[in-house]
Amino acid sequence: MHLNPNSLPDITKDARAVLAIRAALKEDIGSGDATTLALVGPDVLATGEIQAREACCVAGLNVALYILQLLDPTLTYEILIPNGAMAPKDGVLARFTGRARAILTAERTALNFIQRMSGTATLTHQFVEAVKPYPCMVLDTRKTTPCLRVFEKFAVRCGGGMNHRFGLYDRILMKDNHRALWAGGDPARLDLAVLAARKAYPLLAVEVEVETLEELKSALRAEPEWIMLDNMSCELMRECVKLTRSATKKTKLEASGGINLQTVHNIAATGVDALSVGALTHSAPSVDLALEWSVI
């Protein structure tokens, strides 16, 4: 999948991302890059490029270049393979020219971000490809690295996936523990739980997790925006899809629970509208990228 980079948000303008980037640089540089300051003159210029040592889906290139420019505002660059595009092995993502001191100091932090983000985007791309030709969205979860969620969810978008709620504040999602603590957790009256959530937060979409057909029927009476089918067999999910489509056009279904690349195609074939995969952000391996450069 090749995305229009203009369709992706510029997370380097997101205050959460900027704070995390600055904290990462502070963590690495501390009181100063002793080796570089001792050995490299302040006026030495260098040119170089960011290379893919394996095929991958690019994510975080803007973050890496932003980090380079934070340390050298005069650095110039040219993007050759943008976020959301597939890079072949040995492909060049971007070329740049700037001060050697800044490039040396920023190199590891820049690569740490883009390698991890491209890993998430590449795994997401594999899931998106696996659900074709079904109109099923691949969603992420909140199973992210603390304080790095904005980067990881951006990477999912680069890979062709979609973001689920960002945090606890932007969607109602009633899971089994919420249901157990609400009004005795009566599965026959999940509709009342949906109505109570809507009354408390009328501007938020409401999603409720179910594990059985009876719970599904109960929730459907209130027509929540989403119902999550938790750890169901494909056969049971197909029954849920059929029942939901006959009951309402408003409610969408999300499959969840242990979904992997071996099972995802069959799950999408059940007719669910989306599936959520925690592995996109908690288990994606980093991609092997390199920042190669030389003194001018």
Side-chain angles (χ1 to χ4, degrees):
M1 173 175 288
H2 294 266
L3 300 179
N4 179 350
N6 295 323
S7 69
L8 295 166
D10 183 358
I11 60 170
T12 63
K13 298 186 183 303
D14 187 311
R16 297 166 298 190
V18 172
L19 284 173
I21 289 169
R22 290 185 178 276
L25 285 169
K26 180 62 177 177
E27 175 185 59
D28 201 33
I29 299 171
S31 60
D33 178 357
T35 309
T36 297
L37 292 173
L39 300 176
V40 181
D43 298 323
V44 177
L45 296 179
T47 184
E49 54 193 31
I50 300 175
Q51 300 174 354
R53 289 180 171 167
E54 60 181 299
C56 66
C57 182
V58 179
L61 180 58
N62 57 330
V63 175
L65 294 170
Y66 176 81
I67 290 169
L68 290 170
Q69 282 196 320
L70 268 181
L71 297 193
D72 178 11
T74 69
L75 182 136
T76 60
Y77 61 81
E78 176 189 12
I79 293 175
L80 302 176
I81 305 177
N83 288 323
M86 296 301 297
K89 184 175 186 253
D90 298 324
V92 176
L93 280 54
R95 293 193 175 98
F96 56 84
T97 301
R99 298 191 181 278
R101 267 191 179 182
I103 295 168
L104 274 170
T105 301
E107 177 178 4
R108 177 42 53 198
T109 301
L111 284 174
N112 284 346
F113 274 102
I114 190 173
Q115 286 178 308
R116 289 180 62 85
M117 292 173 70
S118 294
T120 292
T122 301
L123 182 59
T124 302
H125 176 77
Q126 291 170 357
F127 273 90
V128 171
E129 289 295 303
V131 303
K132 289 181 176 179
Y134 304 104
C136 181
M137 293 183 288
V138 175
L139 304 174
D140 54 23
T141 70
R142 287 170 42 247
K143 296 176 182 177
T144 56
T145 308
C147 299
L148 297 182
R149 183 172 294 174
V150 64
F151 302 100
E152 293 173 347
K153 282 185 171 281
F154 174 80
V156 168
R157 291 276 300 277
C158 290
M162 299 294 290
N163 297 146
H164 206 286
R165 59 179 178 163
F166 192 90
L168 296 171
Y169 55 87
D170 57 0
R171 178 185 290 200
I172 301 289
L173 175 47
M174 290 179 279
K175 305 195 88 173
D176 52 354
N177 289 333
H178 300 102
R179 296 187 342 238
L181 292 168
W182 174 82
D186 184 357
R189 297 315 310 264
L190 293 181
D191 56 324
L192 296 183
V194 172
L195 294 174
R198 279 200 181 123
K199 182 177 181 181
Y201 290 92
L203 299 181
L204 297 184
V206 177
E207 181 169 7
V208 57
E209 177 189 84
V210 303
E211 298 174 357
T212 67
L213 274 176
E214 291 307 311
E215 290 179 352
L216 176 74
K217 293 175 183 177
S218 174
L220 278 173
R221 287 196 291 267
E223 294 188 302
E225 282 77 11
W226 284 89
I227 293 178
M228 177 185 289
L229 309 180
D230 184 48
N231 282 295
M232 290 186 179
S233 67
C234 287
E235 181 180 1
L236 183 53
M237 280 191 275
R238 281 191 289 270
E239 292 185 54
C240 290
V241 169
K242 183 178 179 180
L243 178 61
T244 301
R245 299 292 182 263
S246 65
T248 177
K249 294 182 179 180
K250 179 179 179 180
T251 301
K252 296 184 181 299
L253 297 178
E254 171 192 339
S256 180
I259 300 171
N260 56 50
L261 284 170
Q262 287 67 51
T263 62
V264 66
H265 181 87
N266 289 338
I267 292 172
T270 65
V272 293
D273 300 285
L275 50 88
S276 53
V277 185
L280 299 182
T281 51
H282 70 58
S283 295
S286 293
V287 165
D288 189 5
L289 302 173
L291 196 156
E292 300 289 349
W293 58 280
S294 59
V295 174
I296 297 176

